[in-house]
Amino acid sequence: MPADAKPAMAEGEGPPSAMGAFTVAIDGPAGAGKGTVAHSLAERYGFAHLDTGLLYRAVGKLAMDTGRGVIDEGAAELIARDLRAEHLGIDGLRSALAARAASRVAKFPGVRKALIAYQRSFARRPGGAVLDGRDIGTVICPEAEVKLYLVATPEARAERRYRELEEAGADTSLGRVLAELRARDAQDAARTAAPMKQAADAHLLDTTEMDIDAAAAAAAAIVDDALNRAAS
């Protein structure tokens, strides 16, 4: 730490009340640990946290429910425009069905436009914010003070996701989870609108061999450095 830098906040201390916007953007494929690291950072610094994937899952789930299994683009756009925080707590958002619905509505320009506005407003709130997703550092918050891009091998990510689904009582298999994960990776990387990719100035963290504590600590060290530089 530079001699003239101020020490970063201790865990649980939270940001000073006068702190303005400070955004941590976390991107990467499913199962790389984005949500876990984002939640840890939010708790450590007292930042607000938004799992942006839940926005698309909520819109997809609500659109599917409204259409009785059929997703209509116009209905999905109206839902996205009216999306509120409480919608992120509805049942079934972590299911494979909701994930597929999210991928579908993410292709609709009107849905993306509405949810981009939601995310940008959240990101620049006073007091700091952590957002995790797939295009936060490249599209949503290119001005973020900290950008992280988390990766892990497909096998490691599939194993993590499979354990989550198994604990939730889902009827699936590791092979199926891996196949779906590979398909989602290919779709996210190839889409024309905001493809998943590492921002040029993002810190790369490979969590393949990391446990939760190690990944969170590595991310916190990067945030600490940015906070110290901002305070110096």
Side-chain angles (χ1 to χ4, degrees):
M1 181 185 302
D4 59 347
K6 297 180 182 179
M9 293 172 290
E11 184 171 357
E13 180 181 332
S17 58
M19 183 177 185
F22 186 97
T23 306
V24 179
I26 305 179
D27 292 308
K34 301 187 305 292
T36 300
V37 169
H39 182 72
S40 176
L41 293 177
E43 284 199 336
R44 180 183 179 93
Y45 301 104
F47 293 166
H49 171 222
L50 178 62
D51 175 352
T52 64
L54 281 183
L55 299 177
Y56 288 95
R57 284 172 177 258
V59 172
K61 177 72 164 51
L62 291 169
M64 191 166 52
D65 291 347
T66 299
R68 297 184 179 181
V70 177
I71 296 178
D72 176 76
E73 182 173 353
E77 182 176 339
L78 290 175
I79 290 168
R81 289 178 181 177
D82 192 44
L83 197 68
R84 298 184 298 277
E86 55 264 33
H87 291 142
L88 305 185
I90 62 177
D91 293 336
L93 293 189
R94 297 294 183 183
S95 68
L97 187 62
R100 288 193 289 272
S103 295
R104 176 78 182 279
V105 300
K107 298 177 182 178
F108 300 153
V111 169
R112 294 198 64 83
K113 182 178 179 180
L115 296 187
I116 284 174
Y118 185 108
Q119 292 168 78
R120 286 177 174 165
S121 176
F122 186 98
R124 302 314 286 174
R125 61 172 55 196
V130 183
L131 291 81
D132 65 274
R134 287 172 169 76
D135 61 354
I136 310 303
T138 54
V139 175
I140 307 301
C141 303
E143 78 290 352
E145 284 73 15
V146 174
K147 298 178 187 178
L148 304 173
Y149 194 82
L150 273 59
V151 297
T153 64
E155 292 77 15
R157 293 188 287 120
E159 178 66 33
R160 294 168 186 171
R161 180 60 176 156
Y162 175 68
R163 288 200 302 266
E164 291 177 358
L165 292 171
E166 192 175 39
E167 290 174 1
D171 181 17
T172 188
S173 67
L174 180 58
R176 180 177 179 181
V177 172
L178 178 59
E180 290 181 345
L181 184 147
R182 289 184 185 277
R184 179 67 187 276
D185 285 352
Q187 178 177 293
D188 287 342
R191 69 190 185 198
T192 55
M196 180 180 67
K197 62 180 181 179
Q198 180 181 350
D201 54 347
H203 298 269
L204 179 65
L205 288 180
D206 188 334
T207 67
T208 301
E209 302 296 332
M210 291 184 179
D211 61 17
I212 292 173
D213 291 339
I222 295 169
V223 176
D224 280 347
D225 181 63
L227 286 170
N228 284 328
R229 284 187 280 105
S232 61

